[in-house]
Amino acid sequence: MGRLTESAAAGSGARAARWAGSPPTLLLISPTSPGCAATMASSDEDGTNGGASEAGEDREAPGKRRRLGLLATAWLTFYNIAMTAGWLVLAIAMVRFYMEKGTHRGLYKSVQKTLKFFQTFALLEVRIVPTSVLVTGVQVSSRIFMVWLITHSIKPIQNEESVVLFLVAWTVTEITRYSFYTFSLLDHLPYFIKWARYNFFIILYPVGVAGELLTIYAALPYVKKTGMFSIRLPNKYNVSFDYYYFLLITMASYIPLFPQLYFHMLRQRRKVLHGEVIVEKDD
């Protein structure tokens, strides 16, 4: 479901500034986590050295924390700028292809290298805002699954119109999202970027999910006919796996998961744009 949820980034510019005085803590790696909430890991150790006294360590700790905070902020800024640029390149390539060819056929093939690189590169994202393991798992797996185990592996479906649906939805979402995090880290967030971040998803997320589901559905006949990725009995491990039924289960999983993730983003929208105080239980 491709990054359907993230922790709200209100006040993220101030949060980025605070990192300079307090070192962030590594929590999770996630392709969908917000850049302004992401950070590098810091050690729990105080960096003791030989015969240094505890008082000396205490005096050194704030400086080390500031340096770690500055390094984390610099990494996050670079990362989000790079990801914004990458998805912009992808968007320009798609527009140029359609203007030149006048058709969506061949579009995926023309942009697949850029898509695979930046979508896979998103695995480097790290967050300091705690989130549900389930939510993070969905965010991580869904995009990688669609890119590598569906569209990359099943070439006959690459020209399906549904592929264009999720490509467009992903691209606009990611340009908006990474721009939001970049400007937040720089503490200069234009209101339009903030507005776009918490309004575009209302349409883009359902469009993206529809594209993903229709693409998986289009893949079913090919998977059933070829038996790809399936393991049949008998075999020396005495296990079996049917990729066709796995895809059916995957499609069914969207029913309970998508509303949960979508309404979470709607709550974050109310909190960020309208200042509502929303208390959510920790998972």
Side-chain angles (χ1 to χ4, degrees):
M1 288 157 207
R3 306 184 182 193
L4 295 182
T5 69
E6 293 117 5
S7 300
S12 52
R15 184 186 306 125
R18 289 199 299 272
W19 287 343
S22 176
T25 304
L26 171 67
L27 288 180
L28 289 167
I29 293 179
S30 162
T32 61
S33 56
C36 67
T39 187
M40 301 293 288
S42 69
S43 173
D44 289 331
E45 299 175 359
D46 290 330
T48 59
N49 99 21
S53 67
E54 292 183 4
E57 293 166 10
D58 290 341
R59 286 194 296 269
E60 291 177 3
K64 291 181 179 180
R65 285 197 295 267
R66 281 194 293 272
R67 286 194 293 274
L68 286 171
L70 289 172
L71 286 173
T73 303
W75 156 250
L76 292 170
T77 303
F78 165 77
Y79 175 82
N80 284 291
I81 290 174
M83 294 299 282
T84 302
W87 286 95
L88 275 171
V89 168
L90 187 64
I92 293 170
M94 289 194 295
V95 171
R96 180 179 298 174
F97 179 91
Y98 192 81
M99 291 180 66
E100 291 177 356
K101 307 293 185 181
T103 178
H104 70 281
R105 301 184 67 83
L107 173 63
Y108 179 83
K109 186 176 181 180
S110 72
V111 302
Q112 62 177 332
K113 289 183 180 179
T114 305
L115 173 67
K116 290 172 185 175
F117 177 81
F118 283 100
Q119 188 56 68
T120 306
F121 188 62
L123 287 168
L124 294 179
E125 291 187 17
V126 184
R127 4 183 19 151
I128 57 172
V129 175
T131 186
S132 163
V133 173
L134 173 63
V135 169
T136 302
V138 171
Q139 292 171 339
V140 171
S141 62
S142 60
R143 291 283 189 90
I144 300 299
F145 173 76
M146 287 301 303
V147 168
W148 290 104
L149 297 180
I150 299 295
T151 47
H152 168 77
S153 301
I154 309 174
K155 289 179 171 53
I157 66 167
Q158 291 179 358
N159 289 323
E160 292 286 334
E161 294 178 351
S162 58
V163 173
V164 180
L165 278 182
F166 74 73
L167 278 181
V168 171
W170 287 8
T171 302
V172 177
T173 297
E174 297 304 69
I175 291 171
T176 305
R177 191 169 70 92
Y178 285 116
S179 297
F180 175 84
Y181 300 138
T182 299
F183 284 112
S184 294
L185 282 164
L186 297 173
D187 204 18
H188 291 287
L189 178 62
Y191 181 77
F192 173 74
I193 298 293
K194 180 179 178 180
W195 180 90
R197 172 72 185 90
Y198 288 99
N199 280 285
F200 284 3
F201 82 90
I202 296 174
I203 299 298
L204 293 175
Y205 283 1
V207 169
V209 167
E212 293 172 26
L213 286 171
L214 289 172
T215 300
I216 297 173
Y217 180 78
L220 290 176
Y222 179 86
V223 172
K224 188 173 186 179
K225 180 180 179 180
T226 62
M228 66 179 296
F229 299 154
S230 297
I231 302 173
R232 307 298 186 192
L233 290 172
N235 58 69
K236 63 179 181 178
Y237 300 107
N238 199 33
V239 296
S240 65
F241 173 76
D242 195 309
Y243 190 53
Y244 175 81
Y245 288 107
F246 174 79
L247 292 183
L248 291 177
I249 294 171
T250 299
M251 294 176 68
S253 71
Y254 278 65
I255 297 174
L257 291 176
F258 174 71
Q260 175 186 349
L261 305 180
Y262 188 67
F263 287 122
H264 172 78
M265 273 302 291
L266 287 175
R267 290 191 294 271
Q268 299 301 334
R269 176 180 181 271
R270 294 200 305 271
K271 181 165 66 174
V272 173
L273 296 184
H274 304 294
E276 293 186 21
V277 177
I278 299 172
V279 178
E280 296 189 55
K281 294 181 179 180
D282 292 334
D283 295 316

